Amino acid sequence: MPSKSAKSRRPGPCMEAATRRIAIVAFPGVTLLDISGPAQVFAELEAIELPGPGYSLSYLSTEGGLIPTDVGMMVDTAPISSIRPHQVDTLVIPGGPGIWELRNDERMMKWTAQALPKARRVASVCLGAFALAWTGVLDGKRAATHWRYCPRLQDSFPNIRVEPNAIFVKDGRVWSSAGVSAGIDLALAMIEEDFGHTIALDVARRLVVFLKRPGGQSQFSTVLAAQASDVEGRFSALHAWIIENIATDLRVETLAEKAGMTPRTFARTYASRTGMTPASGVEALRVETARLLLESRQIGGVVEVARRVGFGDDERMRRAFLRHLGVSPTEYRNRFSGG
C-alpha cells in the first residue's frame, strides 16, 4: 500500500548520517503532481528494507510556510535558509505556471545556483527544465520537458539538446523529465540507480505503476498521436475494426475497402489525417494490443502474443516494440511484472 504520509521531516544529525536528502523546491503556482508524484515514490522507501542509506524529503521555498499549488492545494515548506546547499544530495525543481516568476526570485535562484554544483544529482520535472537552463547547468547537455514547451526551450537555449519525445533524460548527474506523471518515472529511475531494479519494482508495485517507462520512450503512444492528428475522428471506426480483427491480414486493400475508398485514395487520406502510413497504423495498433496482453499475462509467452496480434512471429514483434516503445517485448513484460 502507498505510504500514509510523504511529510517533510527535519532530520537531526543522526538522521542526516543515515539518509540522503532530497530537496524539492516549491513556489506559488507549482504543479502539484510535479511535487507529489516524485515525493510519493521516494516516500515509499520508508516501508522497504534498504541495502544503504535511504532518503529524507525536504520541501523548500524562499520564505517557508504554505505555498499554493496550481490547483489551490497548499504545500507546507521549510525556508531555504534551513538547508545549506552542501546538505542536498538530490535537488528536484518541479514545474508549473508559476515557474516564470521563479526567475525573478533572487534568493531562490542564488540558493539554487549554490546547491547545483554540490548536489550529487539534480533534476527537473516538466517546466522545471527552464529553471535549470537559467542556471546554465543544462548547457551542452540533453534535456526533456513537456512536449508543448520543447520548441521554446530549444529556441531560448540553443546549447541544450532538447529531446522532444523523451519521458526523461539522464545526462551525467543532471536529470530532466517531461510533464507531470513523467516525474514518477524519473523518481523510479533514480531509485533503481541507487538501490537496484528489485527495490524499484517493489516501489512501483506498491504504487500500482509500470516500472519503468524507458526514458527514451515517446511521451505519447503512436496511436494517441494518430488520434490527436485525426481531429475529425474520420478513422476512429476503422481503428476499432482493426483492433477487433487485429490477427487477420490487414493489407491496405482490405482497409481501403472497409473505409469505402480506393487503395490509393485511402493511403493518401490516411497519411494526411494521422501522420502515418496505413501499415504503420496497423503496426502501432498491434503493438498497443500486444502491450496490454503482455501486461495482463493472460497469454503464456511472447511467441503466442505475437501470433494473437498478427505479427506472425516474435522477431517481427520485437522489432516493432523497439521502434515504438524502445524496449523488447520480453523486457516490457519483465519490467511490468518482475517476471
Side-chain angles (χ1 to χ4, degrees), residues 264-311:
R264 182 175 181 179
T265 299
F266 169 74
R268 182 176 66 251
T269 305
Y270 187 89
S272 67
R273 296 273 181 169
T274 69
M276 297 186 293
T277 65
S280 296
V282 169
E283 181 180 88
L285 289 168
R286 283 178 169 151
V287 168
E288 291 291 303
T289 306
R291 180 180 64 78
L292 295 174
L293 291 176
L294 291 170
E295 290 176 12
S296 69
R297 301 187 71 85
Q298 293 177 355
I299 297 178
V302 170
V303 173
E304 178 62 14
V305 170
R307 187 186 69 79
R308 291 283 188 96
V309 301
F311 278 114

Side-chain angles (χ1 to χ4, degrees), residues 167 209-214 217-224 227 243 246 282-299 301-302 304-311 317-318 320-322 324-337:
I167 291 175
V209 297
F210 169 59
L211 177 77
K212 66 180 175 57
R213 294 187 294 177
Q217 182 178 325
S218 176
Q219 294 182 34
F220 292 105
S221 71
T222 306
V223 174
L224 182 59
Q227 291 173 343
I243 292 173
I246 199 68
V282 169
E283 181 180 88
L285 289 168
R286 283 178 169 151
V287 168
E288 291 291 303
T289 306
R291 180 180 64 78
L292 295 174
L293 291 176
L294 291 170
E295 290 176 12
S296 69
R297 301 187 71 85
Q298 293 177 355
I299 297 178
V302 170
E304 178 62 14
V305 170
R307 187 186 69 79
R308 291 283 188 96
V309 301
F311 278 114
M317 187 166 79
R318 187 187 71 84
F321 262 63
L322 290 173
H324 290 269
L325 301 178
V327 294
S328 69
T330 300
E331 186 179 8
Y332 186 95
R333 169 170 275 183
N334 288 344
R335 284 180 170 181
F336 183 82
S337 64

Side-chain angles (χ1 to χ4, degrees), residues 17-233:
T19 61
R20 288 178 278 197
R21 187 191 304 276
I22 295 179
I24 303 179
V25 170
F27 48 85
V30 66
T31 294
L32 178 61
L33 189 55
D34 283 5
I35 292 181
S36 62
Q40 189 66 57
V41 172
F42 295 135
E44 284 300 316
L45 289 176
E46 294 180 11
I48 300 174
E49 185 176 346
L50 301 175
Y55 300 141
S56 62
L57 288 170
S58 296
Y59 308 105
L60 305 177
S61 65
T62 305
E63 300 288 347
L66 295 176
I67 299 296
T69 68
D70 63 330
V71 294
M73 294 180 66
M74 298 288 186
V75 175
D76 193 6
T77 65
I80 52 175
S81 60
S82 66
I83 303 294
R84 296 179 180 177
H86 73 272
Q87 295 176 311
V88 176
D89 175 83
T90 300
L91 176 64
V92 179
I93 302 180
I99 192 72
W100 314 114
E101 294 299 320
L102 187 65
R103 190 176 191 179
N104 300 321
D105 187 336
E106 295 183 5
R107 288 178 58 195
M108 176 59 79
M109 294 306 298
K110 180 179 179 180
W111 183 90
T112 301
Q114 292 173 339
L116 285 174
K118 297 178 173 63
R120 175 174 67 96
R121 190 165 55 192
V122 298
S124 64
V125 181
C126 197
L127 298 183
F130 284 87
L132 291 185
W134 295 328
T135 69
V137 75
L138 286 178
D139 286 351
K141 293 187 177 295
R142 296 178 297 115
T145 189
H146 192 284
W147 62 272
R148 287 179 180 237
Y149 288 87
C150 285
R152 179 170 177 174
L153 183 63
Q154 188 66 84
D155 292 343
S156 300
F157 303 94
N159 290 333
I160 299 174
R161 289 172 287 168
V162 178
E163 298 194 358
N165 293 320
I167 291 175
F168 67 86
V169 170
K170 177 182 182 292
D171 194 334
R173 68 185 189 93
V174 181
W175 300 58
S176 55
S177 70
V180 288
S181 65
I184 295 174
D185 298 284
L186 180 143
L188 284 169
M190 287 182 171
I191 288 177
E192 185 172 28
E193 180 181 72
D194 289 345
F195 302 106
H197 179 78
T198 300
I199 288 177
L201 178 59
D202 192 355
V203 171
R205 280 174 166 170
R206 289 168 182 267
L207 296 174
V208 199
V209 297
F210 169 59
L211 177 77
K212 66 180 175 57
R213 294 187 294 177
Q217 182 178 325
S218 176
Q219 294 182 34
F220 292 105
S221 71
T222 306
V223 174
L224 182 59
Q227 291 173 343
S229 298
D230 185 18
V231 292
E232 296 178 359

